[in-house]
Amino acid sequence: MLFSNIIGQEFIKKHLTTSADRGRVAHANLFVGSSGSGVLPMAVAYAQYIICGNANGENNGGASSCNIKFDHLSHPDLHFAYPVATTEDVKKHPVSSHFSREWRSFFEENPHANLYEWHQHLGIEKKQGQIGVDEAQEIVKSLSLKAYEGGFKVMIIWMADKMHNAASNKLLKLIEEPPNKTIFILIAENEDQIIDTIKSRCQVLHFPRLGEAAIQEALVNNKDCDSVFAKKIAHQSHGDYNLALHLLKQDGE
């Protein structure tokens, strides 16, 4: 994930890459913002920047083999946790690793998609996905292993505000004192639902809504949208690129 492909958020890009270049990587981070503001692609790009040893503000200066692994979220030192629930194939104790193939396709289709769309992708829209105690145990287990390439490991917890309190309490000590070269990136839409003992241990970054010009440019470049029409959609989307994509699709239909 190239930072140049992330829509807007130039200040946050600069802050993260500059901090990493100076060796000031926080071991626990909390990215707060709507899905349409680009929190997930930014987290993946930042993880890539750290793990692959990239520099100068972009993800193309480090080990090429490492960067290639990020093209399909297949790097073994990149870990994810996200809300899940039982399905026809996973009838009990659902954890994120059971749905890694679905997660990759979800991200590739639209990294700005929201939680309800993730539930739709899994076919669990009538259920309440959560990050439970079983997931917390899996996180502890996976991060106890050595890094595959001997460098950093990054755990991205998407929609961490949907984490069960018991899971939060189980992860508290790990987030407070993670193994060497282990980085947590928690992503949340509502930081008030993150327990204070975890939030106080994180470097918190708030993602503002995207500017209309940034959304307009993205629609023109990524979706081959007419500039005038892209400007209209950008205005209607209220800074949410995911909403802009939905508006564009509705118009096409």
Side-chain angles (χ1 to χ4, degrees):
M1 173 64 73
L2 293 175
F3 283 104
S4 58
N5 289 339
I6 296 176
I7 303 166
Q9 309 297 7
E10 299 303 327
F11 173 80
I12 294 178
K13 293 177 191 177
K14 183 70 173 178
H15 169 74
L16 292 174
T17 55
T18 300
S19 298
D21 289 342
R22 294 176 178 173
R24 298 175 180 173
V25 178
H27 74 269
N29 305 267
L30 174 59
F31 290 2
V32 180
S34 68
S35 297
S37 68
V39 279
L40 179 56
M42 187 74 80
V44 172
Y46 185 44
Q48 182 174 348
Y49 199 76
I50 295 168
I51 290 174
C52 297
N54 293 309
N56 301 317
E58 191 50 284
N59 279 323
N60 54 14
S64 58
S65 61
C66 177
N67 284 319
I68 289 171
K69 292 185 180 78
F70 269 84
D71 288 345
H72 301 289
L73 304 185
S74 60
H75 197 289
D77 294 328
L78 174 67
H79 305 273
F80 288 97
Y82 31 80
V84 294
T86 55
T87 65
E88 289 186 2
D89 295 324
V90 182
K91 298 185 182 300
K92 59 181 181 179
H93 303 298
V95 292
S96 298
S97 59
H98 293 150
F99 305 97
S100 56
R101 178 175 55 84
E102 292 86 350
W103 174 252
R104 291 188 184 107
S105 65
F106 173 74
F107 183 86
E108 288 178 3
E109 287 174 16
N110 178 14
H112 296 84
N114 58 34
L115 180 60
Y116 179 69
E117 289 167 305
W118 167 238
H119 287 168
Q120 284 182 311
H121 194 74
L122 289 182
I124 61 169
E125 59 267 30
K126 294 182 180 180
K127 297 182 179 181
Q128 186 72 32
Q130 68 169 3
I131 300 171
V133 175
D134 289 333
E135 189 73 62
Q137 292 173 341
E138 287 289 306
I139 291 172
V140 172
K141 181 180 177 181
S142 63
L143 295 183
S144 67
L145 304 174
K146 289 184 178 180
Y148 180 80
E149 295 190 351
F152 282 95
K153 296 173 292 183
V154 177
M155 169 61 71
I156 296 176
I157 303 180
W158 185 66
M159 296 296 172
D161 39 351
K162 302 302 180 185
M163 196 178 336
H164 194 279
N165 279 345
S168 297
N169 290 325
K170 189 170 185 64
L171 291 177
L172 178 59
K173 184 172 179 60
L174 185 64
I175 292 175
E176 184 178 15
E177 299 177 6
N180 187 39
K181 291 189 174 182
T182 299
I183 308 298
F184 279 91
I185 304 176
L186 280 64
I187 298 174
E189 292 191 335
N190 186 355
E191 64 179 305
D192 292 336
Q193 293 182 9
I194 304 290
I195 63 173
D196 290 338
T197 46
I198 284 183
K199 187 164 61 175
S200 64
R201 288 158 174 78
C202 294
Q203 173 182 277
V204 182
L205 285 176
H206 292 93
F207 282 60
R209 290 185 174 273
L210 297 172
E212 290 186 16
I215 293 178
Q216 179 186 3
E217 181 181 5
L219 291 174
V220 171
N221 293 338
N222 301 338
K223 300 300 177 180
D224 197 25
C225 185
D226 173 77
S227 180
V228 174
F229 185 61
K231 183 176 182 179
K232 177 183 176 183
I233 291 214
H235 179 70
Q236 294 174 338
S237 66
H238 303 292
D240 186 316
Y241 186 65
N242 190 43
L243 177 57
L245 293 178
H246 282 282
L247 293 170
L248 185 64
K249 182 179 179 181
Q250 287 173 12
D251 181 82
E253 291 175 347

